[in-house]
Amino acid sequence: MTNRQKAAQETRQKIVAAAKKLICEKGLANTSIDDITETCGVAKGSFYTYFKRKEDIVFELSRGMFDEILDDAKNHNGTFLDKLQKYMTEFASYIEKSSVKLAQEWIKNVVVPDSIPVGYENNKLEIDINNATKLLQYGIEVGELKSNCPITQLAYMITDLLYGQMLCWTMSDGAYSYKERTQEYCAMFLHLIFEDYLINKEA
């Protein structure tokens, strides 16, 4: 990578970090492009080099971190259910730490298809369904889930659960812990949902 490319990458990261900070504090509607560029100390024109709209940054924030959460879950020590619980609780934890306001923007990104930036193929919901699917496929590949495991149905169920809990959490204005609620669900129900598909049922 050339020095120019490194500088461009650093500028882009500054813009995204500043936007996330401001959106978490006061929401997207109350955050302007001027606010973002002033916070990170870059020229306004630099913003438009990387993003067409401030809404595009919300989509950007909804992508990369969740791929890391998937990788962490795959590499987590323990059974497949341990890995799945890791994925679900870290998903909830990241959103909770990011603030209710940012979660509301992510929900809007899913509900309003026009908010998807040009050049991006999937919205956040599709990304999260794909990630849940990948984790289930991984369970089969490593010999912890049976080959007849209904991957598609379970991927939708996992994502429905996470999104339903996220919606309720944002509606409560963060009155309780989204992460803890997800942990409680995993502890009570995951073994029941997956017991017919686990190769090692004692896990």
Side-chain angles (χ1 to χ4, degrees):
M1 184 181 292
T2 65
N3 289 336
R4 184 174 181 179
Q5 289 172 324
K6 288 180 181 178
Q9 185 180 59
E10 289 174 1
T11 299
R12 194 177 194 280
Q13 290 172 344
K14 285 181 181 178
I15 292 170
V16 172
K20 179 180 178 180
K21 177 178 181 293
L22 292 169
I23 293 168
C24 289
E25 289 175 353
K26 57 184 183 177
L28 183 65
N30 297 316
T31 299
S32 68
I33 292 174
D34 285 334
D35 292 336
I36 296 169
T37 54
E38 287 173 10
T39 297
C40 64
V42 304
K44 190 172 181 179
S46 296
F47 178 93
Y48 292 106
T49 300
Y50 306 102
F51 303 99
K52 292 184 178 180
R53 313 168 300 165
K54 61 182 182 178
E55 289 82 1
D56 294 356
I57 292 182
V58 174
F59 193 82
E60 178 77 14
L61 291 169
S62 75
R63 293 175 66 88
M65 183 61 196
F66 294 93
D67 291 336
E68 292 182 24
I69 290 171
L70 173 62
D71 290 338
D72 287 345
K74 287 181 178 179
N75 295 324
H76 183 65
N77 290 329
T79 66
F80 175 77
L81 289 188
D82 293 330
K83 297 178 192 298
L84 179 56
Q85 181 166 342
K86 172 76 171 176
Y87 171 77
M88 294 175 69
T89 55
E90 288 305 306
F91 181 104
S93 177
Y94 179 72
I95 290 174
E96 185 172 339
K97 289 176 183 176
S98 296
S99 85
V100 171
K101 287 185 174 64
L102 186 54
Q104 290 167 341
E105 298 300 338
W106 280 333
I107 292 170
K108 188 186 300 181
N109 171 258
V110 174
V111 173
V112 183
D114 290 343
S115 67
I116 303 172
V118 175
Y120 288 96
E121 295 180 356
N122 297 323
N123 66 17
K124 177 161 171 52
L125 176 59
E126 291 171 334
I127 291 169
D128 291 332
I129 291 170
N130 286 340
N131 280 347
T133 300
K134 290 175 184 176
L135 183 56
L136 293 165
Q137 288 172 334
Y138 176 79
I140 292 176
E141 290 168 8
V142 297
E144 294 194 49
L145 289 179
K146 296 177 181 177
S147 59
N148 66 343
C149 178
I151 289 178
T152 300
Q153 293 88 335
L154 289 173
Y156 275 96
M157 182 211 69
I158 291 165
T159 310
D160 287 347
L161 171 69
L162 289 168
Y163 271 65
Q165 290 185 325
M166 177 167 58
L167 178 60
C168 292
W169 176 68
T170 58
M171 290 172 66
S172 78
D173 200 26
Y176 55 88
S177 171
Y178 176 23
K179 178 182 178 179
E180 290 179 6
R181 186 66 57 87
T182 303
Q183 285 176 321
E184 291 170 359
Y185 181 92
C186 289
M188 293 178 67
F189 299 111
L190 283 189
H191 66 287
L192 297 174
I193 294 168
F194 281 87
E195 63 181 353
D196 290 337
Y197 308 114
L198 293 171
I199 289 178
N200 181 6
K201 291 193 176 183
E202 293 181 357

